[in-house]
Amino acid sequence: MVNHRGSSLMKNVSTTKPIYRKQSPRTIALYILLLFALSIIIFVFNAANIEQEQFNPISVQISDEELWDPPSSRGLRPCVHPSRRYKGSKGSGRYLTVNCNGGLNQMRTGISDMVAVAHIMNATLVIPKLDKQSFWQDSSAFSDIFDELHFITTLQQDVRIVKELPKELEHVPRARKHFTSWSSMGYYKEMTQLWNEYQVIHVVKSDSRLANNDLPLDIQRLRCRAMYHALRFSPPIEILGKELVDRLRTQSRKYIALHLRYEKDMLAFTGCTSGLTDAESEELRIMRENTKHWKVKDINPTEQRKGGFCPLTPKEVGIFLRAIGYPPSTLIYVASGEIYGGDARLSELKSYFPNLVFKEKLATKEELNAFAKHATQSAALDYIVSLKSDVFVPSYSGNMARAIEGHRRFLGHRKTISPDRKGLVKLFNELESGNIKTSSFSELVWQMHKNRKGAPRKRKGPSPGAKGKDRFRTEESFYENPYHEVSSVPHLSGYNVLNPDGRCPGYELEQWLPCFYSIDPKF
């Protein structure tokens, strides 16, 4: 018997097809428009996330103490007292005249070296003439920048210093000397033979004329006395500089001083063009070609940057400081000349740290008028504010950066973060290519710089394989790190105060630290 129930049920099922309403062209167009708008929103959102992933690193979680406190000084204290065997130079009737070259800090280190040279050669030092012909075209005299009387009196037990050459010697024949760079004490002892024929020796250039290492303790300490005690800035500079620091302190309890070396001359000299337009790159090339005393003309900008020889760009500085933990609210004093590219390029840093301050914002026009046409005096104001900052960060290891780092070491190893430019460039490239995440980037930057914050360390020697003058050119400057260069140092435990005569403990030991002593029994 055939079961027909299924067929009966199938007959009862409706076979009516669904009815679709035909949409009007206007409605279809509206749907397409909404879909297109939604696609744009999604694209912009994702692009923003990609941009943030590449250029806004998530800073690692660091305590305020780690961000702002200075590194351990390992019990080191400044000590520049001469040894018991030290004898000052009387100078007699022999005079050393000096023509300083370079900018503010090149001249400061040169003057300090010439104080030591005058002592070695038993000469009277005539107040040096400052460079008026270089890039800065600054007409400032010694007394405009430095406290001349303080300089003379502070060193009166070391070297006889006079303001001018005696009139009777103004027209006598004089030896005109280009002293050899990075010369030893023995070299200058040999130069004393010139006194047999001349009463006056004129030094044509003052920079890097004295060796960084292997000099007697008393000569090294004399350099420190000259650099850190005697070369005080003139009263107008000191007063305004301290006032700028006070005004910064009213804005924020702590601040970073950033030496942003991103001026036109620096970029042209180094041949660094990363992030610049073709027109800007060409402008810098022409400047380099037309500057006669710049010997290297053909520079590969890619290799320069890869080797760490370029200053960090404003954008790179912003990424770097965020990566090591400083929040966007951090107050940053920018010590620099005119930034190449102006406000447009500076905005790349400001997008990370809006609270940027320049001396032009802190001081009134009336206060700055006296320094307006004197780049060296203006740089001295930046020097004071940078020296007294809680943290100092140089974007490039130029003369000012090295001088301030050394001075901050001398004053108690104040925190100075020295960017590893070569290492950072590699990380920047990997970040932009998406090879590393922002969290990993921050951690890598932090680890890379945990031992680059100004803690005590031995002065670095020459680069491996360096020969001849390159050995001296590549070693760390004495004024960048006025610490010892020897492998072993005598230990004086138990000293935590000066000797009764006011001198630091161990000052009489010839192999003791050049400009420090230690109160740390573990040192």
Side-chain angles (χ1 to χ4, degrees), residues 215-375:
L215 292 174
L217 170 75
D218 278 323
I219 296 301
Q220 299 289 54
R221 287 192 170 176
L222 175 55
R223 298 169 91 178
C224 283
R225 288 199 294 279
M227 184 73 165
Y228 306 127
H229 289 181
L231 279 176
R232 187 169 68 188
F233 292 118
S234 64
I237 294 174
E238 286 282 343
I239 291 170
L240 182 55
K242 291 176 181 177
E243 179 62 29
L244 296 182
V245 173
D246 291 341
R247 291 173 189 176
L248 281 167
R249 296 292 184 199
T250 61
Q251 294 185 31
S252 178
R253 189 169 58 91
K254 296 182 183 295
Y255 71 93
I256 292 175
L258 167 65
H259 185 223
L260 188 58
R261 196 69 170 93
Y262 205 75
E263 298 92 344
K264 183 178 180 179
D265 66 305
M266 172 53 66
L267 296 177
F269 175 75
T270 56
C272 298
T273 61
S274 177
L276 302 183
T277 65
D278 291 342
E280 289 172 328
S281 300
E282 179 64 13
E283 182 182 31
L284 297 179
R285 186 195 67 78
I286 293 172
M287 182 180 182
R288 184 167 61 253
E289 287 290 337
N290 294 337
T291 305
K292 294 180 180 179
H293 61 275
W294 291 353
K295 297 179 180 179
V296 181
K297 304 297 183 181
D298 188 16
I299 299 176
N300 184 324
T302 302
E303 291 301 315
Q304 279 287 93
R305 184 171 181 269
K306 185 178 178 181
F309 303 121
C310 290
L312 296 180
T313 68
K315 183 177 183 177
E316 290 171 341
V317 171
I319 297 172
F320 168 65
L321 291 177
R322 287 289 291 119
I324 58 177
Y326 289 98
S329 59
T330 303
L331 180 64
I332 299 179
Y333 176 87
V334 181
S336 73
E338 183 178 354
I339 300 299
Y340 190 61
D343 291 341
R345 191 141 290 127
L346 194 61
S347 66
E348 297 173 349
L349 169 60
K350 205 167 186 177
S351 65
Y352 295 98
F353 294 93
N355 296 328
L356 300 183
V357 181
F358 296 78
K359 57 180 171 292
E360 290 79 9
K361 292 183 179 180
L362 283 175
T364 65
K365 289 184 178 179
E366 291 74 20
E367 288 173 323
L368 292 176
N369 275 343
F371 313 105
K373 296 182 180 180
H374 301 285

Side-chain angles (χ1 to χ4, degrees), residues 18 38 55 92 111 127 187 238 240 254 344 354 442 477 523:
L38 182 62
F55 298 115
S92 63
I111 291 168
I127 288 290
Y187 170 86
E238 286 282 343
L240 182 55
K254 296 182 183 295
S442 297
S477 165
F523 179 71

Side-chain angles (χ1 to χ4, degrees), residues 120-122 187-196 201:
I120 295 170
M121 298 184 68
N122 194 28
Y187 170 86
Y188 287 106
K189 287 290 187 181
E190 291 180 7
M191 289 295 106
T192 58
Q193 297 177 8
L194 293 170
W195 298 132
N196 296 331
I201 298 176

